[in-house]
Amino acid sequence: MPPRRRSASGYRGVRQRPNGGFYAEIRSGDLRLSLGTYDTAHEAARAFDAAAWRLGRPRLQMNFPDVHMLQQALDLAPPPRLNSAQDRAEHTALQHRLLVAQEDERVMAEWHRRHPEDVAYEQEYWERRREEDTRRRREERLDRRRRKALACAQADLVNAGGRSFFTEEDERWFDIWLSTSDDTNDDDDGADDWSD
């Protein structure tokens, strides 16, 4: 039997998984011996070579020709991966979450298809909410600017020797330090903006 060609991973007996891991196996006729999944193609190839040495394969069918003895191949191979009960439980939980998410997406797509009027209503609702939030932010900003302007005017009056209707302990004096900019609002058209 001619030697198998090397896979896309660059190593004989190693295939890349869709999740990014590398799977190693030895095939001989009808026999398929799984060697497990590894983080890198290099580790999977080392595991392949160690198994090939144990099975008495010729060195031409190995990935690393610089390995001359079985013990050397075993020393270079990564340790076997142990799947604990916790690993299996985590995997099961992740698979369950994936199935739930996929079913949720399927049901939502079906709901959108069957109830376009509800979809339109929901979109209108969120558009109204965005408009109300924008209006509220503009009103709050306008109020802050008015309060700041009043406090600054009172401070100017006191500095010019006049008398303020604010008492010394009045909390409205702190309005001088109010921020009147709204940098977080991206959809503001600036129609009611005043300069600071």
Side-chain angles (χ1 to χ4, degrees):
M1 173 189 268
R4 298 181 62 84
R5 65 178 178 83
R6 294 185 187 267
S7 66
S9 68
Y11 295 105
R12 182 176 281 114
V14 177
R15 294 186 181 161
Q16 186 167 11
R17 293 271 189 184
N19 68 359
F22 293 89
Y23 175 74
E25 72 176 11
I26 289 185
R27 292 182 182 190
S28 177
D30 294 337
L31 174 70
R32 289 177 68 176
L33 178 62
S34 172
L35 304 175
T37 302
Y38 298 88
D39 293 330
T40 66
H42 186 81
E43 288 177 344
R46 289 288 185 191
F48 175 90
D49 279 7
W53 270 99
R54 281 190 171 154
L55 294 173
R57 291 273 179 101
R59 285 185 46 206
L60 289 174
Q61 294 181 11
M62 295 188 193
N63 290 302
F64 301 100
D66 58 340
V67 176
H68 301 286
M69 296 184 308
L70 170 61
Q71 188 58 46
Q72 191 179 6
L74 293 174
D75 291 342
L76 294 172
R81 181 177 170 144
L82 299 176
N83 289 328
S84 66
Q86 182 180 357
D87 290 336
R88 288 189 294 279
E90 288 174 1
H91 177 72
T92 302
L94 289 173
Q95 290 297 319
H96 179 70
R97 287 176 54 193
L98 177 63
L99 290 173
V100 167
Q102 288 172 340
E103 180 63 13
D104 187 45
E105 288 176 5
R106 188 194 64 75
V107 168
M108 286 303 294
E110 180 67 19
W111 181 80
H112 280 102
R113 188 183 64 76
R114 287 187 179 181
H115 305 286
E117 68 282 354
D118 289 343
V119 173
Y121 175 77
E122 184 181 7
Q123 290 171 345
E124 290 170 8
Y125 169 79
W126 288 112
E127 182 61 31
R128 278 195 316 272
R129 282 286 305 267
R130 281 191 293 274
E131 290 172 1
E132 290 170 3
D133 289 347
T134 299
R135 183 183 45 76
R136 180 184 46 77
R137 282 193 307 268
R138 286 180 179 168
E139 289 172 358
E140 289 173 356
R141 186 171 59 240
L142 182 60
D143 180 57
R144 285 193 312 266
R145 288 182 174 160
R146 287 181 179 151
R147 288 169 40 206
K148 182 174 184 169
L150 177 62
C152 289
Q154 292 298 309
D156 291 343
L157 183 65
V158 169
N159 288 338
R163 182 175 162 94
S164 170
F165 60 84
F166 288 177
T167 64
E168 285 187 24
E169 288 81 27
D170 198 325
E171 291 185 4
R172 290 180 288 181
W173 285 114
F174 294 117
D175 290 345
I176 290 175
W177 310 110
L178 282 176
S179 170
T180 56
S181 66
D182 189 11
D183 297 333
T184 61
N185 188 4
D186 295 334
D187 58 349
D188 191 1
D189 60 2
D192 63 351
D193 283 351
W194 301 353
S195 60
D196 283 338

